[in-house]
């Protein structure tokens, strides 16, 4: 199901004027979007969007891969910068081989990593080839 099908407020209806999408999108409409690579292979589905509360920016999309009806699925924190919204196909693209995502650092729904840990964040950025000037480990007021 694409974001146009999860649009309870009609934000993405083409009524001859621009906006709000695709420049501004509701997080709720993006959860459930599929993720494909550049070879058009299905990699997973967006399950959650993680916000960095210090900067107000999106840090990660949590993507699920594998399993059946959430049983046996593996979760991945994919840096937001690594994803591109494909407005033609109404999904995200991630420039990574399917085999590489299958071997990516992941977790299960009962064992989430400490995403605020700078060492963990650096490892994830390194794996996906992203860089970010993170505010992780800075206290929240």
């Amino acid at each position: 199901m694409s974001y146009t099908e999860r649009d309870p407020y009609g934000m993405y209806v083409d009524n001859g004027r621009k906006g709000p999408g695709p420049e501004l999108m509701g997080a709720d409409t993006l959860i459930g979007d599929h993720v494909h690579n550049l070879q058009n292979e299905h990699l997973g589905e967006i399950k959650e969007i993680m916000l960095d509360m210090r900067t107000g920016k999106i840090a990660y999309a949590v993507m699920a891969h594998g399993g059946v009806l959430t049983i046996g699925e593996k979760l991945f924190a994919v840096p937001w910068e690594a994803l591109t919204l494909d407005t033609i196909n109404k999904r995200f693209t991630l420039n990574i081989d399917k085999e590489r995502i299958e071997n990516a650092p992941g977790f299960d729904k009962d064992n989430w990593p400490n995403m605020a840990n700078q060492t963990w964040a650096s490892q994830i950025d390194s794996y996906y080839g992203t860089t970010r000037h993170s505010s992780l480990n800075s206290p929240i007021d």
Side-chain angles (χ1 to χ4, degrees):
M1 181 182 292
S2 75
Y3 58 83
T4 58
E5 297 165 306
R6 287 185 309 278
D7 184 13
Y9 300 108
M11 295 184 286
Y12 311 117
V13 175
D14 184 1
N15 57 11
R17 62 177 173 75
K18 192 170 177 94
E23 287 83 14
L24 296 172
M25 302 285 290
D28 201 33
T29 59
L30 298 175
I31 294 171
D33 275 7
H34 288 218
V35 179
H36 286 245
N37 62 16
L38 299 177
Q39 293 75 37
N40 200 32
E41 296 172 308
H42 183 260
L43 300 177
E45 181 178 306
I46 302 294
K47 294 293 185 176
E48 190 59 84
I49 295 174
M50 306 303 292
L51 304 174
D52 182 333
M53 298 308 292
R54 293 158 190 88
T55 65
K57 295 181 180 178
I58 299 173
Y60 305 100
V62 176
M63 182 182 79
H65 174 77
V68 178
L69 300 173
T70 73
I71 298 170
E73 74 182 358
K74 187 175 178 183
L75 300 174
F76 303 91
V78 178
W80 191 252
E81 296 83 3
L83 294 166
T84 303
L85 183 64
D86 177 352
T87 58
I88 304 297
N89 296 301
K90 311 292 191 264
R91 63 186 186 200
F92 284 95
T93 51
L94 176 60
N95 187 9
I96 194 168
D97 290 333
K98 191 169 188 173
E99 295 78 31
R100 187 146 166 81
I101 200 67
E102 290 170 352
N103 296 314
F107 54 98
D108 65 51
K109 65 181 178 77
D110 296 322
N111 192 22
W112 283 63
N114 178 359
M115 293 181 177
N117 179 284
Q118 186 60 55
T119 301
W120 178 87
S122 294
Q123 291 170 344
I124 296 301
D125 281 335
S126 177
Y127 192 85
Y128 289 98
T130 58
T131 58
R132 130 184 42 164
H133 301 291
S134 178
S135 66
L136 298 177
N137 293 331
S138 300
I140 294 179
D141 295 332

